[in-house]
Amino acid sequence: MLRFLHSSDLHLGKPFGRFPEDVRGRLRQARAEVPARLARLAREHGAGHVLLAGDTFDQLTPAPQVIRQALNAMAADPDLQWLILPGNHDHAGATELWRQLRSDAPPNVTALLAPHPHPLANATLLPAPPAERAPGRDLTDWFDGADTGDALRIGLAHGSVADFEGTSGAGGSSVIAPDRAARAGLAYLALGDWHGQRRIDARTWYSGTPEADSFRHSAAATALLVQIDGPGAPAQVTPLETGALRWRRLDLALDPQDDALAAHAACLPPLEDRADCLFDLRLSGTLRPEARAELDRAIAATAPDFLWHAADPAELTLLHDASDLDLIDRQGALRAAAEALATDAADETLPPEARQSAADALEHLFALALEDRA
């Protein structure tokens, strides 16, 4: 029986430059803690090996402390073996990175920098390390003819399965045949590059990143516990949740008949989960001005609960009539300006950008008026 943990795309040292500094620090710290979390899960579930299928590091030249701290976490349990494959972000051509790693690595950490069979307990590991960012070919081709005797055969690769997601690749280091496990007689093919967990077939899986780094994948970040009971036995694959932070993107469509405040409250995660959550709210539909102002105040009131919060109202429009314009002013220059903007916003003979500018300006007038009233 063979039991191991399959993970990939740790992207240690990722800078997260588009976020404020306090958020960047939290994101980097959560990522730096991943090796220790993977080690704990491996111990708890009786796995003797952790297979990292590429992009352990986010850059070809990570800071020395990023490498050393990862190795220190891996060294904490000398009985747990770590097998590290290069990816497209940290390919085998990054000579200084892998020189430092091999120099500092404890005995239980192995960098797989060449396409040669590697012993793995009572199995043989077949790695496919990329030597450049985009090799442009299937680096797993050699698996088919590799001589491993009667041992279980485990493949380890980083790249996009051919025709994955309806394309010729997902932007990774190579394009991998979707039936490689069957062709090469693999008991399991551990893949990296796609940041969400994905089953290609019963023997071929993407583990996904163990700490989410975007809103693209809605499911929780995981690693995969893999158990194979012997030759010919199916791989038993169990996802284990690994992420410390959650990234949630929600679409909230509203109608003038809706209770906008109740709809907003219902879409929020529980209060106790918000401090560890990056929350991206996308608003659409139509609201009357007073309901929109109430919603804006509710959003502003809840935003500080989150690690990071954004609300995009680009697709949310105002439904108004003459009585609503009274909220801005009943007469005078301001009322005349509001009426002119309302006319332009509804005038389909104008270019779309002109109508949108008028709608935005009118919305701003409503917001100022309602703020003064509040």
Side-chain angles (χ1 to χ4, degrees):
M1 187 268 285
L2 177 66
R3 184 181 296 159
F4 58 87
L5 204 64
H6 165 203
S7 187
S8 71
D9 298 280
L10 279 62
H11 286 275
L12 301 176
K14 187 177 179 71
F16 293 101
R18 71 184 181 93
F19 292 99
E21 178 53 39
D22 58 333
V23 179
R24 291 201 299 268
R26 186 78 178 281
L27 292 167
R28 290 193 295 261
Q29 182 61 32
R31 197 155 292 273
E33 294 167 354
V34 164
R37 263 181 266 148
L38 292 176
R40 175 181 57 80
L41 286 172
R43 288 193 299 270
E44 289 176 356
H45 294 275
H49 301 78
V50 179
L51 275 56
L52 299 182
D55 284 356
T56 299
F57 301 99
D58 186 63
Q59 302 163 8
L60 298 178
T61 56
Q65 60 266 35
V66 171
I67 302 173
R68 181 67 64 81
Q69 289 170 15
L71 293 174
N72 289 345
M74 295 174 187
D77 184 352
D79 293 330
L80 182 62
Q81 299 296 312
W82 295 76
L83 291 308
I84 304 178
L85 184 80
N88 57 309
H89 281 253
D90 56 4
H91 58 70
T95 53
E96 180 56 27
L97 162 61
W98 297 107
R99 184 206 63 77
Q100 182 183 343
L101 187 141
R102 286 183 295 182
S103 173
D104 296 348
N108 64 325
V109 175
T110 301
L112 302 167
L113 303 181
H116 300 306
H118 182 86
L120 181 71
N122 56 344
T124 298
L125 184 63
L126 304 178
E132 54 190 325
R133 188 174 182 88
R137 59 188 179 87
D138 189 346
L139 300 178
T140 66
D141 277 343
W142 76 275
F143 292 0
D144 296 7
D147 184 5
T148 59
D150 295 329
L152 284 173
R153 293 156 65 88
I154 308 297
L156 185 63
H158 187 90
S160 307
V161 168
D163 299 322
F164 184 55
E165 291 291 307
T167 70
S168 61
S173 62
S174 63
V175 178
I176 299 166
D179 59 347
R180 178 62 64 201
R183 286 193 206 180
L186 304 178
Y188 185 80
L189 176 54
L191 295 177
D193 184 36
W194 186 244
H195 285 201
Q197 181 204 120
R198 181 84 178 209
R199 178 187 186 273
I200 302 302
D201 60 38
R203 291 181 287 174
T204 306
W205 287 73
Y206 285 93
S207 64
T209 177
E211 187 65 54
D213 55 10
S214 75
F215 295 103
R216 185 173 188 178
H217 304 286
S218 59
T222 62
L224 299 177
L225 178 69
V226 182
Q227 178 173 316
I228 304 168
D229 291 331
Q236 302 172 44
V237 181
T238 305
L240 303 176
E241 198 164 323
T242 54
L245 306 177
R246 293 297 299 269
W247 298 59
R248 296 192 60 183
R249 171 173 285 159
L250 289 177
D251 295 312
L252 181 59
L254 297 166
D255 182 271
Q257 307 306 315
D258 292 336
D259 183 335
L261 295 184
H264 173 250
C267 82
L268 297 174
L271 182 61
E272 61 270 20
D273 294 341
R274 296 177 194 174
D276 294 325
C277 181
L278 294 91
F279 191 70
D280 186 25
L281 181 63
R282 295 185 170 186
L283 302 164
S284 63
T286 305
L287 287 178
R288 300 197 74 86
E290 287 188 279
R292 170 62 190 273
E294 290 175 347
L295 178 61
D296 287 344
R297 289 193 289 270
I299 290 172
T302 57
D305 295 337
F306 293 87
L307 172 60
W308 181 86
H309 181 285
D312 182 1
E315 300 299 321
L316 184 62
T317 59
L318 289 179
L319 176 66
H320 53 83
D321 54 29
S323 64
D324 293 311
L325 295 181
D326 289 345
L327 296 170
I328 296 174
D329 210 339
R330 293 182 180 275
Q331 57 186 355
L334 194 58
R335 173 57 179 251
E339 290 176 347
L341 289 171
T343 299
D344 287 351
D347 187 351
E348 296 188 359
T349 66
L350 293 176
E353 58 271 18
R355 295 173 59 198
Q356 186 60 52
S357 294
D360 291 343
L362 181 60
E363 183 176 320
H364 186 61
L365 285 181
F366 273 122
L368 291 174
L370 290 165
E371 183 178 339
D372 287 343
R373 290 185 61 188

